[in-house]
Structures are given as C-alpha cells and as structure tokens.
Amino acid sequence: MKKTLLAVALLCGVVALQAQNTVKSRLEKVTVYPSSALVEKSVKVNLVKGENKFIITDNATSFTKDNLHFSQQEDFFITSVNLKNVTQSFEQAAKDAFTPAVYNQVISLNNKVQQTKSKINDNTLLITTYNQQLSALQNLKAIRNTQAIDTVKTLQDQFGFQREEGVKLNNLIAKARKENEELRFTLSQDEDELENLIKQHNGNCLLSTHSQNIILNVYSNRNMQAVLNYDYLVSSVVSNYAYDVNLDETMHTAVFSLKTNVQQGTNENWKDCDIVFSTNEGGWAGEDAELYTWYLNNTPQYQTANTRKYKNRVASNNIVTEKAMLMSADMDAAEAGSALEEVYTAPVLSLAASNDLTLSREYTLNTKQSVSTGDKPQTIPLYFDTTKVYFKHFSTPKAAEKVYYTALLPDWEELGLQNAACDIFLNGKYIAKSYINTNSTKDTMKFSAGEDRNVKIARKVRKTSPDKGFLSSSVEETVTVVLNVKNMKNQSVDLEIKDQIPVSQNADIKITGVDKGEGNLNSNTGILKWNVSLAPKEIKEIKFSYTVKYPKDFNVILN
C-alpha cells in the first residue's frame, strides 16, 4: 500500500513538474519583409540553480533552428535547443480558444460544414459512377456483333433498353449535379458564418491546429525569475506594396497612399501585436564587396565580339521604355506609342539589385494589428503624402491621332517613394494602372491620365514628285505633313506635339529642302517638337515638309 502511494506521489510530482516547465510564449512584435517575417517573442520562466528544461509552446512551424535566436544574459545560458511539430484537432483548438458557449456554437457549425462537404463528395463519386455506366452503355453496341439470326424485334428491344437506361442515367447525373450546386451554396454560407464567428471571438484570427514547440535546456547560476527573449525568421509570408495615386485638377495636388497586401501561412496568428513593414529582405544584411588584383591579358577578337553581342542582348532585353511603364490596361499598342516619350528609361532590376539601389524603409503601424494565418490577403494602409502636380497634353499623331492628358510631378523625389505598382485616379475617377520606378534619373515624374477626347488632332500626308522623264536614274519626292489641332474645351490647353523627319544612313538617299515650320528639330534623331497653346475652341494648323532623292531601283517608304 505504501509503495503504491509513493508511486502515485512520484507520478503526480513528475506531471506537476512537466506542467510547470511547459510555458506559453508571448508575441511582442513582427517585422514583415516582402517574402518573410521576423517574429519577436518572450516567455517568463522560473529558473533553479543548475540545469532547467522548458517546453515553449505556440510557435510558428515555418522556421528552423538556424533561424531561431535567444538573447543571452550573464546569470544563465542556453545549453541546447530542439524543435518539435505539434498537431491538435480542431475541437481541441476551439476548446483552448473559446468559452464553453462559443465552443458549442463553433463545433456545431463546423460539424454542419463537414457533413455538407461529405455529401458533396458522395455526390461527386455518384456522378463519376453514372458517367462510367453511361459510357459503357454507349459502347455496348460497338462491342456486340450483330448476328444474322437476330430478329428485328430483338434489335428494337436492345436499342430501346439502351435508350431507357441512358435517359435514366442522364437524369441521375443531372439530379446529383443540381444537388451539389445547392450544397456548395449552403457550404459557402456556412463557411463564411463559421469564419466570422471564429474571428469575432479570436481577435480577428482563424484557428490554427499546427504549431511548433521549442524544447530548451538552460543552465542558471542561481534561483531566479527571468524573461527569455527570442526571435525567429519565418517564410510563408508575402507582402506586396502598392500605391493609390489621386490626381486633383482643381487643387493641383497628387496624393500618394501606400498600402500593402499581406498574407501569411506560418501556422501562427499575429494577434493584437506591434507590426512593422520593411522593404528590406529579411535574413541578409548585405556587405561591401572585396576587390582583387586585376590582371590584363590579350583577349581573342572572337571572344570580344561574342561578349559584346551578349552585353548588347542583355541591355536590349532589360530596357523598359515609357510605353511599357505607363500603358494602361485598356491601351492598345498605338495608344501606348503616343503616350509620353520621356517619363523614364530604366532597367528592370531583380529584387537583389533594387535593394542595392534603393534605401530600405520601415513603416510602423500606430495601432496594434492582427494578421491571421491561412487567411485571405489583407490590405493594410501604411501612410500617405501630398505633392504638387501640373497637367499637360501630349500627342504623337504619327503613331495615333489621339491626345493624352498627362500629370507632371517635379518634386516626386522628396516623397521617398518605393518601387511599386500603382492605381491612378483623376478627380476621384479610376484611370489606369501604372508603375513607380524610383531608380529613374528624370527630374519630373509623369503619369498618363488617358486620352482627352475634347482635344482633337488629325494628320494628313501629301506626296509630290516632279517629272524627270523616263530616262532619269533617280526619284525625287516631296512630302508635306499637315497637322490640324482643335481644342473643344472651354479652357486653354498646353499641348506638346511630336512628329519626325527621316534620317538617311545611306549615301544614295539624300534628304533636302527641310521646312520645319515653327517646330524644334533634333537633326541627329529627326524628331520634331511643337509646344502649342490653344485657346478655348481654337483650331490650329501645323505644317512641315522635306524632299527625298534616291535611286530609281530603291524602294523607300515615306509616310
């Protein structure tokens, strides 16, 4: 009897010791990077002099020992760390999280959801079976060889049976599909209700049934109470930055509102904690490079040529013109070609390269935030800033006879913007998608606000050729281009128009008699520009011409 009592007492002591050494972690702060997050936590422990063992619960599953770090103190040090994945049932997770009344509601609704899913699966299997039977029935005639002794009545009975069975199977399939449609509708409603109920009573977070325990051995120099601070870097995190850019014609302002769409699947809820969003990539601080002795040597000509071709190919593939950067979702190629030419020309950089060129920034939320594991992407506003904006019209009628309205932002560099996609709004109305490239060297950032249909432009080309006779060895053509511009607005418009005169790279093709009118001509590129001010309802005509002389057997396209 005494031995039994002693054994029970020892067992109770062991259980009590185990319960005492199992401690729950406290979430302090989360720093969210574009594809990871640094989770900072703490745990209170009672240390005795000598060896101590603790099991720290409620940690994410998406980290390893290499990404786990504990802060050290003088009075104790950590001797070993191990990790163990833990899985619990939905019922146990709900029991731990809710009061008995809420628990009963959650379990009842979850049982209903599971039953509906089971019915849908059963119906899906039935539909598959019916389809297999229908396929076998349709192939029956092909399999069976008609014998000479088969009477007409026998064949009629056979075909009648196939028709009747086919109708029955099709009706069963239609019935099962209709029932599944109704069940899926009910399932969607019940799942939404269950999700809302869980979030309502769980800090706006879903339940997590997976976690990771940290098994910790600590050596202490004395008996003491201590707080262990630790952090780990988790994957399964996505944070995408984007801007809403609101352009106001009346106030001449542009408001940049930065937001992030964050989603995480770490199996740990970030509930009511401090969250910081960083544009840096977590886990790697970066360091300066080393330079080694540079030895010059003779390089074979073929190698130089190949290297040059490779570099040219890389350069051409990595250059993104203003066409691609500012083309809205509803622009076609011609419209994009007549948009701004000088917004910026910049290389498309990988994430690693852009980190080298753009300073990382952190955005700390003023209030505690919750981000649930396994939930849909969550949009979180970070900050907004305002700058002045000017508006101007642009047109390249040779590409498209359209006039585009453009916002000019000269002070954009003062905003500290990030490389990110953006949605453009003009006077509260959505215009198009664009992209902000902070690596641009341009002093002025430009956004296309789309086509202004109240400013019209038309381009007409007229070609004339003097008669040189049949024996002449050359052809001479004079091209005259007429641009007609009309402002249908009740306010004045500043418009920049671009066109071009061809540039010859062939000594046999000569361009003479250039009349650029009032335009500014770049003789190297042949680009002509006019800055035109149009009063309300004003119509203007712009004209330029040039003459091209070339051998008669040449085919030269002039437009």
Side-chain angles (χ1 to χ4, degrees):
M1 182 65 178
K2 289 182 179 180
K3 290 182 179 180
T4 304
L5 291 175
L6 180 60
V8 171
L10 289 173
L11 180 61
C12 291
V14 171
V15 172
L17 182 61
Q18 288 177 341
Q20 182 182 356
N21 289 345
T22 299
V23 290
K24 188 174 182 178
S25 58
R26 171 186 171 86
L27 182 60
E28 301 290 350
K29 177 183 174 183
V30 179
T31 302
V32 182
Y33 304 109
S35 58
S36 60
L38 182 67
V39 180
E40 299 177 36
K41 308 185 79 172
S42 66
V43 61
K44 293 181 179 180
V45 295
N46 293 318
L47 296 174
V48 298
K49 186 177 180 180
E51 288 287 347
N52 298 263
K53 183 176 181 178
F54 299 97
I55 300 175
I56 306 175
T57 64
D58 298 325
N59 300 288
T61 59
S62 56
F63 72 93
T64 64
K65 286 171 61 175
D66 293 337
N67 295 325
L68 174 63
H69 310 95
F70 280 87
S71 61
Q72 299 285 354
Q73 295 186 17
E74 293 182 359
D75 293 326
F76 64 88
F77 59 91
I78 297 168
T79 59
S80 68
V81 177
N82 288 293
L83 302 177
K84 182 180 180 181
N85 286 320
V86 178
T87 302
Q88 60 180 167
S89 65
F90 180 87
E91 289 77 8
Q92 185 60 49
K95 190 174 182 179
D96 293 342
F98 305 125
T99 63
V102 176
Y103 167 79
N104 290 334
Q105 286 181 275
V106 168
I107 294 302
S108 175
L109 197 50
N110 184 63
N111 289 339
K112 185 180 178 183
V113 166
Q114 298 307 319
Q115 289 170 4
T116 305
K117 287 182 178 179
S118 179
K119 290 180 181 178
I120 292 174
N121 288 336
D122 290 344
N123 277 347
T124 303
L125 288 174
L126 275 177
I127 292 171
T128 301
T129 302
Y130 293 150
N131 277 320
Q132 290 173 347
Q133 293 177 3
L134 188 61
S135 178
L137 189 66
Q138 290 171 344
N139 293 331
L140 185 62
K141 183 179 179 181
I143 297 172
R144 181 180 182 275
N145 294 321
T146 303
Q147 301 296 323
I149 58 173
D150 288 340
T151 63
V152 173
K153 185 176 185 308
T154 301
L155 292 174
Q156 288 177 342
D157 290 343
Q158 179 67 30
F159 295 148
F161 169 78
Q162 291 178 356
R163 282 196 302 271
E164 290 176 5
E165 289 300 311
V167 169
K168 287 179 183 179
L169 288 171
N170 281 318
N171 289 338
L172 289 171
I173 291 171
K175 181 182 178 182
R177 284 176 175 169
K178 183 178 180 181
E179 186 176 348
N180 263 4
E181 288 179 8
E182 296 171 352
L183 288 171
R184 288 192 179 96
F185 178 77
T186 302
L187 177 63
S188 176
Q189 289 184 316
D190 290 342
E191 285 181 331
D192 288 343
E193 185 180 350
L194 178 61
E195 180 179 318
N196 293 333
L197 179 62
I198 291 173
K199 287 184 174 181
Q200 180 184 350
H201 297 278
N202 193 40
N204 202 35
C205 291
L206 300 173
L207 289 178
S208 177
T209 58
H210 300 275
S211 65
Q212 191 165 215
N213 288 346
I214 301 173
I215 303 169
L216 200 65
N217 285 303
V218 181
Y219 184 88
S220 177
N221 293 326
R222 60 185 178 88
N223 297 335
M224 61 181 294
Q225 284 188 333
V227 176
L228 299 179
N229 295 304
Y230 65 99
D231 62 65
Y232 45 76
L233 189 71
V234 292
S235 55
S236 302
V237 177
V238 176
S239 176
N240 292 322
Y241 294 96
Y243 285 96
D244 285 340
V245 182
N246 291 280
L247 307 173
D248 191 314
E249 282 185 288
T250 304
M251 303 298 294
H252 286 274
T253 57
V255 179
F256 287 76
S257 302
L258 179 63
K259 59 189 178 182
T260 182
N261 294 311
V262 60
Q263 186 176 24
Q264 61 108 339
T266 65
N267 286 317
E268 178 181 21
N269 288 322
W270 303 338
K271 189 187 301 183
D272 296 328
C273 64
D274 295 325
I275 297 183
V276 176
F277 289 91
S278 173
T279 61
N280 193 18
E281 191 61 51
W284 176 246
E287 60 183 24
D288 192 19
E290 291 289 340
L291 289 179
Y292 300 95
T293 305
W294 180 11
Y295 297 100
L296 289 181
N297 205 342
N298 181 34
T299 304
Q301 184 65 31
Y302 76 89
Q303 183 175 343
T304 305
N306 288 340
T307 304
R308 189 183 304 116
K309 289 179 181 178
Y310 172 76
K311 289 182 177 179
N312 289 339
R313 185 168 69 251
V314 171
S316 64
N317 288 341
N318 281 348
I319 294 299
V320 175
T321 65
E322 173 273 342
K323 280 185 189 178
M325 287 297 183
L326 292 188
M327 184 165 23
S328 65
D330 55 352
M331 277 189 186
D332 57 25
E335 291 174 324
S338 62
L340 306 179
E341 183 182 14
E342 296 179 353
V343 175
Y344 41 72
T345 301
V348 175
L349 300 172
S350 68
L351 183 59
S354 65
N355 279 340
D356 290 337
L357 298 177
T358 306
L359 291 176
S360 61
R361 292 179 175 85
E362 289 189 348
Y363 305 95
T364 303
L365 301 181
N366 295 326
T367 59
K368 292 186 181 297
Q369 192 77 28
S370 294
V371 179
S372 175
T373 182
D375 205 356
K376 298 179 286 291
Q378 183 174 338
T379 300
I380 298 177
L382 299 178
Y383 92 106
F384 71 91
D385 206 348
T386 304
T387 187
K388 60 185 177 182
V389 62
Y390 304 98
F391 294 92
K392 190 174 181 179
H393 289 76
F394 291 81
S395 180
T396 307
K398 184 178 181 181
E401 294 181 340
K402 297 180 180 181
V403 176
Y404 291 94
Y405 196 36
T406 306
L408 312 177
L409 293 80
D411 300 328
W412 69 272
E413 292 178 296
E414 299 176 3
L415 300 176
L417 301 175
Q418 298 298 312
N419 290 339
C422 62
D423 290 326
I424 308 298
F425 298 83
L426 178 63
N427 302 325
K429 181 182 178 182
Y430 175 76
I431 299 297
K433 290 187 178 296
S434 187
Y435 188 84
I436 294 174
N437 189 332
T438 61
N439 302 321
S440 170
T441 59
K442 298 293 182 180
D443 293 332
T444 300
M445 179 178 287
K446 302 180 182 181
F447 288 116
S448 174
E451 181 186 359
D452 189 341
R453 298 179 185 274
N454 290 316
V455 182
K456 303 292 185 181
I457 191 166
R459 184 179 190 268
K460 294 183 179 180
V461 179
R462 185 173 67 250
K463 303 175 187 177
T464 57
S465 299
D467 187 5
K468 287 192 171 187
F470 179 75
L471 297 178
S472 175
S473 62
S474 64
V475 175
E476 187 175 293
E477 284 189 88
T478 298
V479 179
T480 302
V481 179
V482 179
L483 306 175
N484 290 296
V485 189
K486 181 178 182 180
N487 178 19
M488 301 169 61
K489 301 165 79 78
N490 293 321
Q491 60 195 52
S492 59
V493 166
D494 292 328
L495 172 62
E496 181 182 294
I497 302 172
K498 297 192 298 291
D499 213 301
Q500 64 184 156
I501 289 172
V503 176
S504 176
Q505 292 182 318
N506 190 318
D508 293 327
I509 302 176
K510 302 183 184 302
I511 300 170
T512 60
V514 174
D515 182 1
K516 61 185 178 61
E518 298 179 357
N520 295 316
L521 174 64
N522 184 324
S523 57
N524 293 324
T525 64
I527 301 298
L528 270 169
K529 287 186 180 181
W530 296 266
N531 283 295
V532 180
S533 293
L534 295 171
K537 310 300 182 183
E538 184 179 2
I539 300 176
K540 277 191 177 181
E541 182 180 90
I542 297 172
K543 184 185 296 186
F544 67 96
S545 62
Y546 55 90
T547 299
V548 181
K549 184 178 180 180
Y550 54 90
K552 195 172 184 178
D553 58 347
F554 277 31
N555 179 29
V556 178
I557 300 174
L558 300 172
N559 60 355

